Amino acid sequence: MENHEWEDEIIEGIRGQKRAEPNPFLFTRIEAKLGEVNSGIVWNLKMKVAVSLCAFTLLLNSVLIIQMVSNPVSESLVTESTYQVDSYQFEIY
Amino acid sequence: MDTNHFDTIKRIASGDRGAFRDLYETFKSRVYNTSFSYFQNAEEAEEVTQDVFLEVFRSAWSFKESSSVSTWIYRITVNKCLDGLRHRNRKKRAGFLMSLFKKDTGELKVDVAHFISPERVLENKEKSELLLKSVSQLPESQQTAFILSYIEELPQKEISVIMNVSEKAVESLIQRAKGNLRKKLEIFNPNRRKNN
């Protein structure tokens, strides 16, 4: 069996070594990135609300237009008002 | 299971920056050290440490208390390191192909490879560097098992949870990593060279 004392000494020597510390300013950098991420999230949220409002308004307008075009109630209202005007005119004469 | 930091994670999920700072102070050296073991480069290790903590902040809400916070953070760290290494290797491969040819003439040029001379007597720091360089040449799973076991000194049970494999598989990965490392280190062994 081969003797690997030298290699094993290097491998085992890595155990228990002191941990390296990151740059003390790293947390400031992370916080700055976090700010960017958060402002991105807020901006996305605002955009979503704006787009939803626009879509809702468009939908509402379309529904109203369709209703105005196809609803027969509006016709009867016009006819009724014509009768009223006619009767009013009758009363005058 | 270590339930110490569950409350801190809950506070982070609700946007508490103070809790985030506390968690950073507790885990910064573990994350940085692990990243450094993969990259052997302070700049890249800091980049990964930053990405790990941003990920922790973003996904604190999704943390499940089925594992410890330490295991969860190690898992994020290992994944980020492996992603970073894959990205670096892709870039290196492209860069290597480019470096084989001269820009102006397109002729093949020869680069002198960088290596540690076996003739030199290795000091402790150099021995660590040599070992880390050899570790970086191991397959991904052996590399991860060795780093978590030998450098981070985590128990095999925790490593198995981080790597999502059985404890037996971890044991086998560590043994194979050691075998491969011995072979890689052998060429630098001054006694062996004298005998040959």
Side-chain angles (χ1 to χ4, degrees), chain B residues 21 33 50 61 63:
Chain B
R21 171 133 219 166
N33 231 46
Q50 176 181 296
W61 62 273
F63 172 73

Side-chain angles (χ1 to χ4, degrees), chain A residues 8-28:
Chain A
D8 285 345
E9 192 191 308
I10 293 184
I11 294 170
E12 297 300 326
I14 202 83
R15 284 191 197 270
Q17 285 199 358
K18 198 175 169 264
R19 287 178 199 276
E21 290 284 319
N23 183 330
F25 300 108
L26 185 62
F27 189 74
T28 317

Side-chain angles (χ1 to χ4, degrees), chain A residues 56-91:
Chain A
F56 179 71
T57 314
L58 269 172
L59 192 77
L60 200 70
N61 280 346
S62 315
V63 168
L64 282 174
I65 289 167
I66 291 167
Q67 221 173 22
M68 276 173 71
V69 169
S70 62
N71 199 349
V73 178
S74 55
E75 266 177 37
S76 66
L77 272 175
V78 172
T79 329
E80 256 175 46
S81 58
T82 316
Y83 281 135
Q84 276 176 355
V85 170
D86 285 349
S87 61
Y88 181 68
Q89 281 170 343
F90 267 119
E91 275 173 21

Side-chain angles (χ1 to χ4, degrees), chain A residues 2-4 6-9 12 14-17 19-21 23 26-27 29 33-34 37-38, chain B residues 17 21 24 28-29 33 46 50 54 127-128 150 152-153 178 182 185-186 188-190 192:
Chain A
E2 277 188 277
N3 179 16
H4 288 287
W6 187 85
E7 291 83 359
D8 285 345
E9 192 191 308
E12 297 300 326
I14 202 83
R15 284 191 197 270
Q17 285 199 358
R19 287 178 199 276
E21 290 284 319
N23 183 330
L26 185 62
F27 189 74
R29 258 168 53 192
K33 280 267 174 190
L34 220 54
V37 171
N38 277 355
Chain B
R17 294 283 179 98
R21 171 133 219 166
Y24 172 80
K28 65 178 181 187
S29 57
N33 231 46
E46 279 187 5
Q50 176 181 296
L54 285 174
K127 279 180 182 172
S128 304
Y150 273 73
E152 288 306 304
E153 299 184 274
K178 275 175 78 175
R182 278 189 194 125
L185 292 170
E186 216 172 47
F188 299 100
N189 185 343
R192 205 163 293 262

